[in-house]
Amino acid sequence: MSILKVLVVGAGLGGLTLAQSLRGHGIDVALFERDPDPWDRPQGYRLHLDADARNAAREVLSDDLWAVFEATSYRTETFTTILGTDLSVIKRIPTADELDDRVWRSRVTGHANVDRATLRQILLHGLDDVVHFGKTLDRYDDTGDGVTAYFTDGTTAHGDVLVGADGIRSAVRRQRAPHADTVDAGITAIYGRIPLDVATSLVPKEVITDVFTISSDDRKVFLGLGAVLFPTRPTEAATAHAPGLAMREQDDYVVAIVGGRHQYFPTLGAQVHSPRELQHVAADALAAWPSVAADVVRAGDPDSFFPVAMYTSVPCTLDAPSRVTLLGDAIHAMTPTLGRGANVAMRDGALLGRALAAVWEGRTELPTALAAYEHDMLAYGFAVVTAAARTGQQRMAQNPLPV
Ligand SMILES: Cc1cc2nc3c(=O)[nH]c(=O)nc-3n(C[C@H](O)[C@H](O)[C@H](O)COP(=O)(O)OP(=O)(O)OC[C@H]3O[C@@H](n4cnc5c(N)ncnc54)[C@H](O)[C@@H]3O)c2cc1C
């Protein structure tokens, strides 16, 4: 075995997937996260997971954690459904399977809607001794025979490889790929959650059964709705399969997303709103629709609403591999129109874990392994960025990607 120490910056879904993979292979890993703890800020609620994320989870999680993952994943019917502004069903569109036979050994199929916080708790389990919260990367120094990470608190860490899993505003990308660009997609959205029992009295059953539902008007202002139902309560799932795993209890819910071009949400860029004010802004954006649409938003938990300004990466290449690489939103951030960003980030984490395991086991050299990883990751990652932008243009008037 070679000696290999991997530094990962960012404990999001991609960085944690990589850390679980490296841990599983017995590779020395240290993960540095800017947030002081896993609960510091709202990061969204429902996540749609397809074959990429599900197979990545199957590959990197222990059998116990995989059992918790499955027990808390809500298996949806494989449709994305278009609703009218009165929330009647117009069309159910089959959702692509995304299963890549050349990549996934476990071949887990189907789609699931999961709760992001629940998934993050599962991915964090067993990593207590390697995840360091409250560590913000400032810069790194690649000395050829190793890499040193410098944090804003004045501390440093030294390793053989540094992975930027630090999201769309990646500090690692700033140095590793200064030419890589992210641009405003032109879209503002407000997210909130509605208790399941309240939502079911207002929405068609496809909102509960399908991957996602979306309605929009002629301005392309949209309302998206998607359900998360826990087949097993998170605490019960942990007790049954992984007793050491501390889970926060959650209720079933429907996530609501109201968005459109910035111009339809003029106050959002200009002033700070409380969650309750954001709920009103979201409902007001649907005021010209049949009343049921705004009623759904008004039925939401008033404390759950938060705004998101959507950005996208611009497809690019990477210079020759060094000891520093990137994964997930740090390189190929996309608008959430296909619900695939987390899926691709977790795919990256699993594949980079495989590549570094091959180096550790002496089957290949580091530059060769990173070059192969970056080649594949850029190809599939930016293909999804482009597809998400195309769908975003059609459904919500997203800015086209710069050419
Ligand atoms: C509202 C919303 C809904 C979405 N829905 C879906 C969906 O249904 N399905 C799907 O597949 N995708 C979805 N996405 C996209 C998905 O959330 C992202 O693609 C995914 O989280 C990317 O994972 P990541 O690990 O690359 O980055 P992130 O999850 O952004 O994690 C990056 C981490 O790095 C940390 N960090 C940043 N800078 C530093 C630094 N300098 N030093 C240390 N740490 C740092 C951050 O605090 C963060 O924890 C959605 C996105 C949004 C905003």
Side-chain angles (χ1 to χ4, degrees):
M1 304 285 180
S2 324
I3 294 173
L4 193 62
K5 165 119 189 172
V6 182
L7 310 179
V8 182
V9 182
L13 301 171
L16 289 171
T17 302
L18 172 62
Q20 287 285 355
S21 171
L22 296 175
R23 242 309 155 81
H25 285 100
I27 298 172
D28 190 4
V29 54
L31 207 155
F32 302 94
E33 166 58 46
R34 174 183 63 187
D35 290 346
D37 61 63
W39 314 109
D40 186 51
R41 65 199 156 90
Q43 294 187 310
Y45 304 116
R46 163 203 164 273
L47 273 178
H48 154 246
L49 301 187
D50 58 32
D52 272 336
R54 289 166 50 72
N55 281 283
R58 173 66 283 204
E59 178 159 318
V60 306
L61 294 177
S62 65
D63 288 347
D64 290 352
L65 289 182
W66 169 252
V68 179
F69 173 89
E70 280 289 81
T72 53
S73 292
Y74 173 49
R75 298 294 297 277
T76 61
E77 293 190 19
T78 55
F79 294 99
T80 301
T81 295
I82 308 296
L83 305 178
T85 53
D86 62 354
L87 307 193
S88 61
V89 173
I90 294 178
K91 186 162 65 164
R92 294 176 90 200
I93 304 167
T95 312
D97 205 15
E98 312 295 351
L99 185 74
D100 188 336
D101 283 332
R102 293 159 305 170
V103 172
W104 295 119
R105 302 159 179 159
S106 54
R107 299 183 44 77
V108 181
T109 57
H111 295 258
N113 282 354
V114 305
D115 177 65
R116 183 190 286 260
T118 303
L119 174 60
R120 200 147 176 248
Q121 284 171 96
I122 296 169
L123 287 170
L124 270 164
H125 188 59
L127 298 177
D128 303 1
D129 55 333
V130 300
V131 183
H132 306 279
F133 286 100
K135 289 279 180 189
T136 303
L137 183 90
D138 181 33
R139 64 188 174 86
Y140 67 80
D141 198 6
D142 181 350
T143 54
D145 60 348
V147 57
T148 303
Y150 295 85
F151 299 96
T152 54
D153 62 3
T155 57
T156 60
H158 190 75
D160 301 295
V161 181
L162 176 77
V163 181
D166 48 346
I168 189 163
R169 313 238 169 275
S170 169
V172 179
R173 184 188 66 233
R174 242 187 352 249
Q175 267 185 267
R176 172 70 178 87
H179 59 286
D181 217 357
T182 57
V183 290
D184 178 10
I187 306 298
T188 293
I190 298 172
Y191 282 67
R193 52 194 272 177
I194 304 150
L196 182 75
D197 51 348
V198 185
T200 42
S201 63
L202 294 167
V203 299
K205 71 172 179 6
E206 287 77 4
V207 169
I208 313 302
T209 58
D210 292 355
V211 168
F212 200 57
T213 60
I214 185 148
S215 50
S216 62
D217 62 18
D218 49 16
R219 301 169 300 168
K220 299 203 175 175
V221 167
F222 61 88
L223 168 65
L225 298 164
V228 174
L229 280 64
F230 292 93
T232 308
R233 310 302 331 155
T235 48
E236 280 173 34
T239 307
H241 302 290
L245 169 58
M247 294 287 260
R248 286 196 175 185
E249 200 46 272
Q250 300 267 2
D251 292 324
D252 299 336
Y253 62 88
V254 170
V255 71
I257 308 162
V258 176
R261 302 264 331 152
H262 298 319
Q263 70 201 71
Y264 300 117
F265 300 85
T267 63
L268 285 196
Q271 62 196 77
V272 177
H273 293 274
S274 69
R276 280 162 199 264
E277 288 166 344
L278 289 167
Q279 182 177 26
H280 290 302
V281 173
D284 289 349
L286 307 177
W289 296 23
S291 58
V292 65
D295 288 348
V296 172
V297 175
R298 287 194 198 98
D301 168 0
D303 294 324
S304 69
F305 288 81
F306 70 94
V308 172
M310 293 185 189
Y311 280 73
T312 177
S313 61
V314 180
C316 67
T317 54
L318 285 178
D319 296 338
S322 64
R323 292 178 172 276
V324 180
T325 192
L326 297 160
L327 66 70
D329 278 12
I331 180 66
H332 48 56
M334 61 193 72
T335 49
T337 51
L338 300 174
R340 296 222 58 221
N343 289 279
V344 184
M346 290 177 70
R347 176 176 179 163
D348 294 351
L351 294 192
L352 183 53
R354 270 188 214 172
L356 293 173
V359 176
W360 190 64
E361 290 160 7
R363 289 185 279 121
T364 187
E365 298 296 321
L366 184 62
T368 311
L370 291 185
Y373 159 73
E374 288 179 356
H375 174 271
D376 291 353
M377 175 275 289
L378 292 173
Y380 63 71
F382 283 129
V384 187
V385 169
T386 306
R390 206 178 305 122
T391 303
Q393 274 180 262
Q394 289 160 4
R395 295 216 180 125
M396 57 186 193
Q398 174 179 338
N399 295 336
L401 287 174
V403 280

